[in-house]
Short mmCIF file of all heavy atoms in Angstrom, two decimals:
data_model
loop_
_atom_site.label_atom_id
_atom_site.label_comp_id
_atom_site.label_asym_id
_atom_site.label_seq_id
_atom_site.Cartn_x
_atom_site.Cartn_y
_atom_site.Cartn_z
N ASP N 1 99.30 114.75 -78.25
CA ASP N 1 99.42 115.10 -76.79
C ASP N 1 98.14 115.40 -76.16
O ASP N 1 97.18 115.76 -76.91
CB ASP N 1 100.74 115.89 -76.50
CG ASP N 1 100.43 117.27 -76.33
OD1 ASP N 1 99.58 117.92 -77.02
OD2 ASP N 1 101.07 117.82 -75.37
N LEU N 2 98.01 115.34 -74.92
CA LEU N 2 96.69 115.72 -74.25
C LEU N 2 96.20 117.02 -74.62
O LEU N 2 94.93 117.12 -74.80
CB LEU N 2 96.90 115.49 -72.76
CG LEU N 2 95.63 115.76 -71.93
CD1 LEU N 2 94.56 114.78 -72.35
CD2 LEU N 2 95.97 115.55 -70.42
N ALA N 3 97.06 117.99 -74.42
CA ALA N 3 96.51 119.32 -74.78
C ALA N 3 95.84 119.53 -76.21
O ALA N 3 94.83 120.01 -76.42
CB ALA N 3 97.58 120.40 -74.70
N GLU N 4 96.59 118.91 -77.23
CA GLU N 4 95.98 118.91 -78.56
C GLU N 4 94.76 118.20 -78.74
O GLU N 4 93.83 118.57 -79.36
CB GLU N 4 97.07 118.41 -79.53
CG GLU N 4 98.38 119.41 -79.62
CD GLU N 4 99.51 118.89 -80.26
OE1 GLU N 4 99.58 117.71 -80.64
OE2 GLU N 4 100.46 119.71 -80.48
N LEU N 5 94.74 117.10 -78.00
CA LEU N 5 93.50 116.20 -78.10
C LEU N 5 92.31 116.94 -77.34
O LEU N 5 91.20 117.08 -77.94
CB LEU N 5 93.74 114.96 -77.26
CG LEU N 5 92.65 113.83 -77.25
CD1 LEU N 5 92.18 113.50 -78.66
CD2 LEU N 5 93.00 112.63 -76.45
N LEU N 6 92.49 117.58 -76.35
CA LEU N 6 91.46 118.43 -75.70
C LEU N 6 90.99 119.61 -76.58
O LEU N 6 89.85 119.86 -76.76
CB LEU N 6 92.05 119.06 -74.34
CG LEU N 6 92.12 118.05 -73.17
CD1 LEU N 6 92.88 118.64 -72.14
CD2 LEU N 6 90.74 117.51 -72.80
N ILE N 7 92.00 120.27 -77.25
CA ILE N 7 91.55 121.29 -78.24
C ILE N 7 90.73 120.70 -79.40
O ILE N 7 89.61 121.30 -79.74
CB ILE N 7 92.85 121.99 -78.73
CG1 ILE N 7 93.46 122.83 -77.69
CG2 ILE N 7 92.48 122.94 -80.00
CD1 ILE N 7 94.88 123.38 -77.97
N LYS N 8 91.31 119.59 -79.95
CA LYS N 8 90.38 118.99 -80.98
C LYS N 8 88.98 118.55 -80.54
O LYS N 8 88.13 118.69 -81.41
CB LYS N 8 91.26 117.73 -81.41
CG LYS N 8 90.70 116.85 -82.53
CD LYS N 8 91.61 115.74 -82.88
CE LYS N 8 90.78 114.68 -83.70
NZ LYS N 8 91.45 113.43 -83.88
N THR N 9 88.93 118.04 -79.37
CA THR N 9 87.64 117.57 -78.95
C THR N 9 86.71 118.69 -78.47
O THR N 9 85.55 118.66 -78.74
CB THR N 9 87.79 116.54 -77.74
OG1 THR N 9 88.72 115.47 -78.10
CG2 THR N 9 86.58 115.95 -77.24
N TYR N 10 87.19 119.70 -77.70
CA TYR N 10 86.29 120.65 -76.96
C TYR N 10 86.36 121.95 -77.64
O TYR N 10 85.38 122.89 -77.39
CB TYR N 10 86.64 120.69 -75.51
CG TYR N 10 86.25 119.50 -74.71
CD1 TYR N 10 87.15 118.51 -74.33
CD2 TYR N 10 84.92 119.39 -74.23
CE1 TYR N 10 86.73 117.34 -73.59
CE2 TYR N 10 84.60 118.27 -73.46
CZ TYR N 10 85.47 117.39 -73.23
OH TYR N 10 85.09 116.31 -72.50
N ALA N 11 87.38 122.49 -78.19
CA ALA N 11 87.53 123.90 -78.58
C ALA N 11 86.67 124.11 -79.66
O ALA N 11 86.64 123.53 -80.65
CB ALA N 11 88.98 124.25 -78.90
N LYS N 12 85.99 125.42 -79.64
CA LYS N 12 85.30 125.82 -80.77
C LYS N 12 86.14 126.50 -81.86
O LYS N 12 85.92 126.28 -82.97
CB LYS N 12 84.31 126.87 -80.29
CG LYS N 12 83.14 126.37 -79.50
CD LYS N 12 82.18 127.42 -79.08
CE LYS N 12 81.06 126.86 -78.12
NZ LYS N 12 80.18 127.83 -77.72
N ASP N 13 87.30 127.02 -81.34
CA ASP N 13 88.38 127.57 -82.26
C ASP N 13 89.38 126.59 -82.34
O ASP N 13 90.26 126.52 -81.55
CB ASP N 13 88.85 128.89 -81.64
CG ASP N 13 89.90 129.53 -82.45
OD1 ASP N 13 90.27 128.97 -83.58
OD2 ASP N 13 90.46 130.51 -82.03
N LYS N 14 89.35 125.81 -83.40
CA LYS N 14 90.34 124.73 -83.63
C LYS N 14 91.67 125.28 -83.96
O LYS N 14 92.65 124.46 -83.98
CB LYS N 14 89.83 123.80 -84.78
CG LYS N 14 88.49 123.22 -84.56
CD LYS N 14 88.38 122.30 -83.44
CE LYS N 14 86.96 121.66 -83.18
NZ LYS N 14 86.74 121.15 -82.07
N SER N 15 91.88 126.51 -84.14
CA SER N 15 93.31 127.07 -84.37
C SER N 15 94.01 127.27 -83.08
O SER N 15 95.14 127.70 -83.10
CB SER N 15 93.10 128.40 -85.24
OG SER N 15 92.51 129.41 -84.45
N MET N 16 93.27 127.14 -81.96
CA MET N 16 94.03 127.23 -80.65
C MET N 16 95.22 126.43 -80.56
O MET N 16 95.27 125.31 -81.16
CB MET N 16 93.12 126.83 -79.51
CG MET N 16 91.99 127.86 -79.34
SD MET N 16 90.87 127.15 -77.81
CE MET N 16 91.93 127.12 -76.53
N GLN N 17 96.27 126.79 -79.79
CA GLN N 17 97.59 126.10 -79.88
C GLN N 17 97.90 126.14 -78.23
O GLN N 17 97.65 127.09 -77.60
CB GLN N 17 98.65 126.75 -80.50
CG GLN N 17 98.49 126.76 -82.00
CD GLN N 17 98.60 125.30 -82.57
OE1 GLN N 17 99.36 124.61 -82.22
NE2 GLN N 17 97.65 125.06 -83.38
N PRO N 18 98.30 124.87 -77.67
CA PRO N 18 98.75 124.90 -76.39
C PRO N 18 99.98 125.74 -76.11
O PRO N 18 100.76 125.94 -76.95
CB PRO N 18 99.01 123.41 -76.08
CG PRO N 18 99.24 122.78 -77.47
CD PRO N 18 98.56 123.67 -78.42
N ILE N 19 100.08 126.30 -74.86
CA ILE N 19 101.24 126.97 -74.42
C ILE N 19 102.01 125.97 -73.41
O ILE N 19 101.35 125.57 -72.35
CB ILE N 19 100.92 128.28 -73.83
CG1 ILE N 19 100.22 129.13 -74.83
CG2 ILE N 19 102.16 129.00 -73.32
CD1 ILE N 19 99.65 130.42 -74.25
N TYR N 20 103.24 125.75 -73.74
CA TYR N 20 104.03 124.81 -72.78
C TYR N 20 104.94 125.54 -71.93
O TYR N 20 105.44 126.54 -72.33
CB TYR N 20 104.75 123.79 -73.67
CG TYR N 20 103.82 122.87 -74.54
CD1 TYR N 20 103.65 123.09 -75.82
CD2 TYR N 20 103.25 121.75 -73.88
CE1 TYR N 20 102.68 122.26 -76.53
CE2 TYR N 20 102.37 120.94 -74.66
CZ TYR N 20 102.17 121.29 -76.03
OH TYR N 20 101.37 120.36 -76.76
N SER N 21 105.18 125.05 -70.80
CA SER N 21 106.21 125.49 -69.94
C SER N 21 106.97 124.34 -69.35
O SER N 21 106.65 123.24 -69.53
CB SER N 21 105.56 126.36 -68.71
OG SER N 21 104.70 125.49 -67.97
N LYS N 22 108.06 124.76 -68.76
CA LYS N 22 108.99 123.69 -68.18
C LYS N 22 108.07 122.90 -66.99
O LYS N 22 107.41 123.60 -66.24
CB LYS N 22 110.23 124.28 -67.50
CG LYS N 22 111.17 124.75 -68.65
CD LYS N 22 112.43 125.41 -68.13
CE LYS N 22 113.27 125.80 -69.13
NZ LYS N 22 114.57 126.41 -68.64
N PRO N 23 108.36 121.58 -66.89
CA PRO N 23 107.71 120.97 -65.82
C PRO N 23 108.04 121.39 -64.40
O PRO N 23 109.15 121.78 -64.25
CB PRO N 23 108.15 119.52 -65.93
CG PRO N 23 108.72 119.34 -67.41
CD PRO N 23 109.07 120.72 -67.78
N LYS N 24 107.10 121.48 -63.62
CA LYS N 24 107.41 121.87 -62.16
C LYS N 24 108.11 120.69 -61.42
O LYS N 24 107.86 119.57 -61.84
CB LYS N 24 106.11 122.20 -61.50
CG LYS N 24 105.18 123.06 -62.17
CD LYS N 24 105.48 124.61 -61.98
CE LYS N 24 104.47 125.50 -62.62
NZ LYS N 24 104.39 125.49 -64.10
N VAL N 25 108.74 120.92 -60.39
CA VAL N 25 109.39 119.84 -59.64
C VAL N 25 108.36 118.96 -59.08
O VAL N 25 107.41 119.41 -58.42
CB VAL N 25 110.25 120.38 -58.40
CG1 VAL N 25 110.76 119.36 -57.54
CG2 VAL N 25 111.42 121.25 -58.99
N GLY N 26 108.48 117.73 -59.29
CA GLY N 26 107.48 116.68 -58.72
C GLY N 26 106.29 116.56 -59.74
O GLY N 26 105.40 115.72 -59.36
N GLU N 27 106.19 117.21 -60.79
CA GLU N 27 105.05 117.18 -61.75
C GLU N 27 105.00 115.80 -62.35
O GLU N 27 106.07 115.42 -62.81
CB GLU N 27 105.12 118.32 -62.73
CG GLU N 27 103.89 118.32 -63.62
CD GLU N 27 103.80 119.59 -64.43
OE1 GLU N 27 104.82 120.38 -64.42
OE2 GLU N 27 102.82 119.74 -65.28
N ASN N 28 103.89 115.20 -62.44
CA ASN N 28 103.69 113.93 -63.14
C ASN N 28 103.57 114.16 -64.55
O ASN N 28 102.63 114.80 -65.08
CB ASN N 28 102.49 113.22 -62.54
CG ASN N 28 102.17 111.85 -63.33
OD1 ASN N 28 103.06 111.38 -64.01
ND2 ASN N 28 101.14 111.20 -62.88
N MET N 29 104.42 113.66 -65.39
CA MET N 29 104.59 113.86 -66.83
C MET N 29 103.85 112.68 -67.51
O MET N 29 103.86 112.62 -68.73
CB MET N 29 105.95 114.16 -67.30
CG MET N 29 106.50 115.46 -66.84
SD MET N 29 105.45 116.91 -67.12
CE MET N 29 105.51 116.98 -68.74
N GLU N 30 103.50 111.59 -66.87
CA GLU N 30 102.83 110.53 -67.40
C GLU N 30 101.39 110.72 -67.45
O GLU N 30 100.63 110.60 -66.50
CB GLU N 30 103.27 109.17 -66.70
CG GLU N 30 102.52 107.81 -67.13
CD GLU N 30 103.08 107.58 -68.61
OE1 GLU N 30 104.38 107.78 -68.73
OE2 GLU N 30 102.39 107.01 -69.34
N LEU N 31 100.85 111.36 -68.53
CA LEU N 31 99.48 111.77 -68.58
C LEU N 31 98.50 110.73 -68.92
O LEU N 31 97.23 110.92 -68.72
CB LEU N 31 99.36 112.89 -69.68
CG LEU N 31 100.26 114.12 -69.38
CD1 LEU N 31 100.15 115.01 -70.48
CD2 LEU N 31 99.89 114.80 -68.02
N PHE N 32 98.88 109.59 -69.52
CA PHE N 32 97.88 108.53 -69.78
C PHE N 32 98.24 107.37 -68.83
O PHE N 32 99.39 106.85 -68.88
CB PHE N 32 98.00 108.03 -71.20
CG PHE N 32 97.65 109.16 -72.24
CD1 PHE N 32 98.57 110.01 -72.73
CD2 PHE N 32 96.23 109.46 -72.52
CE1 PHE N 32 98.16 111.16 -73.55
CE2 PHE N 32 95.86 110.38 -73.31
CZ PHE N 32 96.84 111.31 -73.80
N PRO N 33 97.14 106.81 -68.27
CA PRO N 33 97.46 105.71 -67.39
C PRO N 33 97.87 104.45 -67.99
O PRO N 33 97.35 104.23 -69.22
CB PRO N 33 96.11 105.52 -66.60
CG PRO N 33 95.11 106.12 -67.45
CD PRO N 33 95.86 107.17 -68.21
N ASP N 34 98.60 103.52 -67.44
CA ASP N 34 98.94 102.34 -67.93
C ASP N 34 98.04 101.25 -67.28
O ASP N 34 98.20 101.01 -66.07
CB ASP N 34 100.37 101.98 -67.78
CG ASP N 34 100.81 100.57 -68.13
OD1 ASP N 34 99.96 99.90 -68.87
OD2 ASP N 34 101.95 100.16 -67.83
N THR N 35 97.11 100.82 -68.11
CA THR N 35 96.09 99.84 -67.50
C THR N 35 96.57 98.37 -67.47
O THR N 35 95.88 97.52 -67.09
CB THR N 35 94.66 100.00 -68.22
OG1 THR N 35 94.86 99.78 -69.52
CG2 THR N 35 94.10 101.36 -68.02
N GLY N 36 97.81 98.15 -68.04
CA GLY N 36 98.29 96.79 -68.20
C GLY N 36 98.37 96.12 -66.88
O GLY N 36 97.83 95.01 -66.83
N PRO N 37 99.01 96.69 -65.76
CA PRO N 37 99.13 95.86 -64.52
C PRO N 37 97.67 95.53 -64.03
O PRO N 37 97.57 94.33 -63.51
CB PRO N 37 99.74 96.99 -63.70
CG PRO N 37 100.59 97.82 -64.56
CD PRO N 37 99.64 97.94 -65.74
N ILE N 38 96.74 96.44 -63.93
CA ILE N 38 95.41 96.01 -63.43
C ILE N 38 94.70 95.03 -64.35
O ILE N 38 93.96 94.08 -63.80
CB ILE N 38 94.63 97.23 -63.07
CG1 ILE N 38 93.20 96.90 -62.27
CG2 ILE N 38 94.06 97.90 -64.36
CD1 ILE N 38 93.60 96.54 -60.78
N SER N 39 94.90 95.09 -65.56
CA SER N 39 94.30 94.12 -66.47
C SER N 39 94.78 92.72 -66.15
O SER N 39 93.98 91.83 -66.34
CB SER N 39 94.64 94.56 -67.94
OG SER N 39 94.05 95.86 -68.33
N SER N 40 96.09 92.55 -65.94
CA SER N 40 96.61 91.29 -65.71
C SER N 40 96.09 90.76 -64.27
O SER N 40 95.89 89.54 -64.11
CB SER N 40 98.08 91.28 -65.79
OG SER N 40 98.64 92.04 -64.73
N LEU N 41 95.85 91.50 -63.35
CA LEU N 41 95.46 91.14 -62.06
C LEU N 41 93.93 90.79 -61.96
O LEU N 41 93.56 89.81 -61.19
CB LEU N 41 95.76 92.17 -61.05
CG LEU N 41 97.23 92.45 -60.59
CD1 LEU N 41 97.29 93.70 -59.76
CD2 LEU N 41 97.73 91.08 -60.00
N VAL N 42 93.07 91.48 -62.61
CA VAL N 42 91.69 91.36 -62.44
C VAL N 42 90.95 91.06 -63.76
O VAL N 42 89.66 91.12 -63.86
CB VAL N 42 91.05 92.53 -61.75
CG1 VAL N 42 91.58 92.71 -60.36
CG2 VAL N 42 91.07 93.80 -62.49
N ALA N 43 91.69 90.73 -64.79
CA ALA N 43 91.11 90.52 -66.15
C ALA N 43 90.17 91.48 -66.66
O ALA N 43 89.12 91.28 -67.08
CB ALA N 43 90.31 89.11 -66.04
N TRP N 44 90.52 92.74 -66.35
CA TRP N 44 89.71 93.90 -66.68
C TRP N 44 90.40 94.55 -67.88
O TRP N 44 91.54 94.71 -68.06
CB TRP N 44 89.70 94.88 -65.60
CG TRP N 44 89.01 96.21 -65.96
CD1 TRP N 44 87.71 96.50 -65.90
CD2 TRP N 44 89.63 97.42 -66.42
NE1 TRP N 44 87.33 97.78 -66.23
CE2 TRP N 44 88.50 98.42 -66.55
CE3 TRP N 44 90.90 97.91 -66.58
CZ2 TRP N 44 88.87 99.68 -67.06
CZ3 TRP N 44 91.12 99.07 -67.11
CH2 TRP N 44 90.13 99.99 -67.32
N ARG N 45 89.54 95.03 -68.88
CA ARG N 45 89.98 95.73 -69.99
C ARG N 45 89.10 96.91 -70.17
O ARG N 45 87.92 96.90 -69.94
CB ARG N 45 89.78 94.88 -71.37
CG ARG N 45 90.64 93.65 -71.38
CD ARG N 45 91.96 93.97 -71.86
NE ARG N 45 92.77 92.71 -71.90
CZ ARG N 45 93.77 92.34 -71.19
NH1 ARG N 45 94.06 93.15 -70.16
NH2 ARG N 45 94.38 91.23 -71.32
N PRO N 46 89.64 98.21 -70.50
CA PRO N 46 88.85 99.37 -70.64
C PRO N 46 87.82 99.13 -71.96
O PRO N 46 88.11 98.52 -72.95
CB PRO N 46 89.79 100.37 -70.98
CG PRO N 46 91.07 99.77 -71.34
CD PRO N 46 91.05 98.43 -70.67
N THR N 47 86.61 99.60 -71.73
CA THR N 47 85.67 99.53 -72.77
C THR N 47 85.84 100.62 -73.91
O THR N 47 85.69 100.24 -75.05
CB THR N 47 84.22 99.83 -72.18
OG1 THR N 47 84.04 98.89 -71.06
CG2 THR N 47 83.19 99.56 -73.15
N TYR N 48 86.35 101.68 -73.48
CA TYR N 48 86.70 102.73 -74.39
C TYR N 48 88.11 103.12 -74.44
O TYR N 48 88.76 103.02 -73.40
CB TYR N 48 85.84 104.04 -74.02
CG TYR N 48 84.46 103.90 -74.08
CD1 TYR N 48 83.67 103.64 -72.83
CD2 TYR N 48 83.67 104.12 -75.13
CE1 TYR N 48 82.30 103.55 -72.90
CE2 TYR N 48 82.34 104.00 -75.29
CZ TYR N 48 81.56 103.81 -74.23
OH TYR N 48 80.25 103.63 -74.18
N SER N 49 88.61 103.60 -75.48
CA SER N 49 89.94 104.21 -75.53
C SER N 49 89.74 105.55 -74.82
O SER N 49 88.75 106.05 -74.62
CB SER N 49 90.48 104.44 -76.96
OG SER N 49 89.66 105.54 -77.64
N PHE N 50 91.00 106.19 -74.47
CA PHE N 50 90.91 107.45 -73.87
C PHE N 50 90.14 108.45 -74.69
O PHE N 50 89.46 109.29 -74.29
CB PHE N 50 92.41 108.03 -73.60
CG PHE N 50 92.40 109.33 -72.84
CD1 PHE N 50 92.23 109.29 -71.45
CD2 PHE N 50 92.65 110.47 -73.66
CE1 PHE N 50 92.21 110.46 -70.73
CE2 PHE N 50 92.62 111.61 -72.89
CZ PHE N 50 92.42 111.79 -71.43
N GLU N 51 90.59 108.43 -76.03
CA GLU N 51 89.89 109.30 -77.01
C GLU N 51 88.50 109.15 -77.10
O GLU N 51 87.68 110.13 -77.19
CB GLU N 51 90.61 109.28 -78.33
CG GLU N 51 91.95 109.71 -78.34
CD GLU N 51 92.95 108.70 -77.97
OE1 GLU N 51 92.51 107.50 -77.57
OE2 GLU N 51 94.24 108.96 -78.09
N GLN N 52 88.07 107.92 -77.06
CA GLN N 52 86.53 107.69 -77.12
C GLN N 52 85.87 108.08 -75.90
O GLN N 52 84.74 108.70 -76.02
CB GLN N 52 86.25 106.15 -77.33
CG GLN N 52 86.72 105.58 -78.69
CD GLN N 52 86.68 104.14 -78.76
OE1 GLN N 52 87.06 103.42 -77.79
NE2 GLN N 52 86.26 103.54 -79.83
N GLY N 53 86.53 107.90 -74.76
CA GLY N 53 85.88 108.32 -73.47
C GLY N 53 85.73 109.81 -73.37
O GLY N 53 84.78 110.45 -72.95
N LEU N 54 86.79 110.54 -73.88
CA LEU N 54 86.84 112.03 -73.86
C LEU N 54 85.64 112.56 -74.80
O LEU N 54 84.88 113.44 -74.44
CB LEU N 54 88.16 112.42 -74.41
CG LEU N 54 88.47 114.10 -74.31
CD1 LEU N 54 88.33 114.46 -72.83
CD2 LEU N 54 89.76 114.38 -74.89
N TYR N 55 85.52 111.89 -75.93
CA TYR N 55 84.38 112.28 -76.91
C TYR N 55 83.16 111.99 -76.20
O TYR N 55 82.08 112.81 -76.32
CB TYR N 55 84.59 111.67 -78.21
CG TYR N 55 83.58 112.14 -79.20
CD1 TYR N 55 83.59 113.52 -79.69
CD2 TYR N 55 82.45 111.31 -79.63
CE1 TYR N 55 82.77 114.03 -80.61
CE2 TYR N 55 81.59 111.83 -80.47
CZ TYR N 55 81.66 113.10 -81.01
OH TYR N 55 80.63 113.56 -81.85
N ALA N 56 82.92 110.82 -75.62
CA ALA N 56 81.68 110.52 -75.00
C ALA N 56 81.34 111.38 -73.86
O ALA N 56 80.21 111.86 -73.67
CB ALA N 56 81.75 109.10 -74.42
N SER N 57 82.33 111.81 -73.07
CA SER N 57 82.17 112.91 -72.13
C SER N 57 81.63 114.19 -72.58
O SER N 57 80.83 114.86 -72.05
CB SER N 57 83.40 113.11 -71.16
OG SER N 57 83.84 111.93 -70.66
N LYS N 58 82.27 114.56 -73.69
CA LYS N 58 81.84 115.87 -74.34
C LYS N 58 80.38 115.81 -74.77
O LYS N 58 79.64 116.68 -74.46
CB LYS N 58 82.72 116.10 -75.64
CG LYS N 58 82.30 117.30 -76.42
CD LYS N 58 83.04 117.42 -77.66
CE LYS N 58 82.58 118.72 -78.36
NZ LYS N 58 82.06 118.50 -79.70
N LEU N 59 79.94 114.67 -75.36
CA LEU N 59 78.59 114.49 -75.75
C LEU N 59 77.59 114.51 -74.52
O LEU N 59 76.49 115.19 -74.55
CB LEU N 59 78.33 113.20 -76.51
CG LEU N 59 79.08 113.07 -77.89
CD1 LEU N 59 78.78 111.79 -78.49
CD2 LEU N 59 78.65 114.13 -78.82
N TRP N 60 78.06 113.88 -73.44
CA TRP N 60 77.27 113.84 -72.16
C TRP N 60 77.06 115.23 -71.71
O TRP N 60 76.04 115.68 -71.32
CB TRP N 60 77.89 113.03 -71.21
CG TRP N 60 76.99 112.79 -69.87
CD1 TRP N 60 76.07 112.02 -69.71
CD2 TRP N 60 77.29 113.60 -68.73
NE1 TRP N 60 75.60 112.17 -68.32
CE2 TRP N 60 76.27 113.29 -67.76
CE3 TRP N 60 78.17 114.77 -68.44
CZ2 TRP N 60 76.16 113.71 -66.51
CZ3 TRP N 60 78.02 115.26 -67.10
CH2 TRP N 60 76.99 114.76 -66.24
N VAL N 61 78.19 116.04 -71.60
CA VAL N 61 78.10 117.33 -71.08
C VAL N 61 77.14 118.24 -71.93
O VAL N 61 76.25 118.99 -71.46
CB VAL N 61 79.57 118.07 -70.96
CG1 VAL N 61 79.46 119.46 -70.77
CG2 VAL N 61 80.26 117.36 -69.91
N GLU N 62 77.27 118.13 -73.30
CA GLU N 62 76.42 118.89 -74.12
C GLU N 62 74.97 118.57 -73.93
O GLU N 62 74.09 119.47 -73.94
CB GLU N 62 76.88 118.69 -75.57
CG GLU N 62 78.15 119.25 -76.00
CD GLU N 62 78.61 118.86 -77.37
OE1 GLU N 62 78.20 117.79 -77.91
OE2 GLU N 62 79.58 119.60 -77.87
N GLU N 63 74.71 117.31 -73.73
CA GLU N 63 73.28 116.86 -73.50
C GLU N 63 72.81 117.37 -72.13
O GLU N 63 71.65 117.85 -71.99
CB GLU N 63 73.18 115.26 -73.52
CG GLU N 63 71.68 114.80 -73.47
CD GLU N 63 71.10 115.26 -74.83
OE1 GLU N 63 71.83 115.27 -75.90
OE2 GLU N 63 69.90 115.45 -74.68
N GLN N 64 73.65 117.33 -71.08
CA GLN N 64 73.25 117.89 -69.85
C GLN N 64 73.04 119.37 -69.85
O GLN N 64 72.04 119.90 -69.15
CB GLN N 64 74.32 117.66 -68.67
CG GLN N 64 74.64 116.24 -68.52
CD GLN N 64 73.33 115.32 -68.17
OE1 GLN N 64 72.67 115.66 -67.25
NE2 GLN N 64 73.09 114.33 -68.98
N LEU N 65 73.74 120.12 -70.70
CA LEU N 65 73.54 121.57 -70.76
C LEU N 65 72.24 121.97 -71.51
O LEU N 65 71.70 123.05 -71.34
CB LEU N 65 74.71 122.25 -71.51
CG LEU N 65 76.01 122.16 -70.78
CD1 LEU N 65 77.19 122.76 -71.70
CD2 LEU N 65 75.92 123.12 -69.53
N LYS N 66 71.66 121.12 -72.27
CA LYS N 66 70.42 121.31 -72.89
C LYS N 66 69.19 121.18 -72.00
O LYS N 66 68.21 121.67 -72.37
CB LYS N 66 70.17 120.20 -74.11
CG LYS N 66 71.20 120.40 -75.21
CD LYS N 66 70.91 119.35 -76.33
CE LYS N 66 71.96 119.41 -77.40
NZ LYS N 66 71.73 118.38 -78.33
N LYS N 67 69.37 120.50 -70.81
CA LYS N 67 68.31 120.24 -69.90
C LYS N 67 68.06 121.53 -69.13
O LYS N 67 68.72 122.36 -68.86
CB LYS N 67 68.66 119.17 -68.90
CG LYS N 67 68.81 117.84 -69.63
CD LYS N 67 69.09 116.81 -68.61
CE LYS N 67 69.20 115.45 -69.23
NZ LYS N 67 69.53 114.38 -68.38
#
């Protein structure tokens, strides 16, 4: 799930565990977008998977912090 993926990618302490609560009224529980509909309309495909994009973002942030 998203929380575990964020911990795996960003946390220095990999033993961290997410704390879950009941969803709030109206809260969107669909955390990953479905790119299927747009792909069929405009022949677009994502270049990176969500996980690859998250990792690439992490590397970019780390590089920016070095400047």
Side-chain angles (χ1 to χ4, degrees):
D1 93 321
L2 181 58
E4 291 168 354
L5 182 59
L6 289 169
I7 290 169
K8 178 181 164 186
T9 304
Y10 286 100
K12 291 181 182 178
D13 178 2
K14 303 296 182 193
S15 69
M16 290 177 63
Q17 294 295 314
I19 299 172
Y20 297 98
S21 61
K22 292 182 181 180
K24 314 273 186 294
V25 174
E27 185 173 2
N28 181 4
M29 296 308 295
E30 183 65 36
L31 299 176
F32 294 95
D34 177 8
T35 59
I38 192 69
S39 296
S40 63
L41 289 173
V42 296
W44 175 84
R45 299 273 185 254
T47 305
Y48 297 97
S49 69
F50 183 81
E51 292 84 358
Q52 291 170 322
L54 188 61
Y55 184 71
S57 296
K58 176 187 183 236
L59 295 178
W60 182 85
V61 168
E62 288 172 344
E63 194 60 38
Q64 298 308 304
L65 291 174
K66 290 179 185 177
K67 293 181 179 181

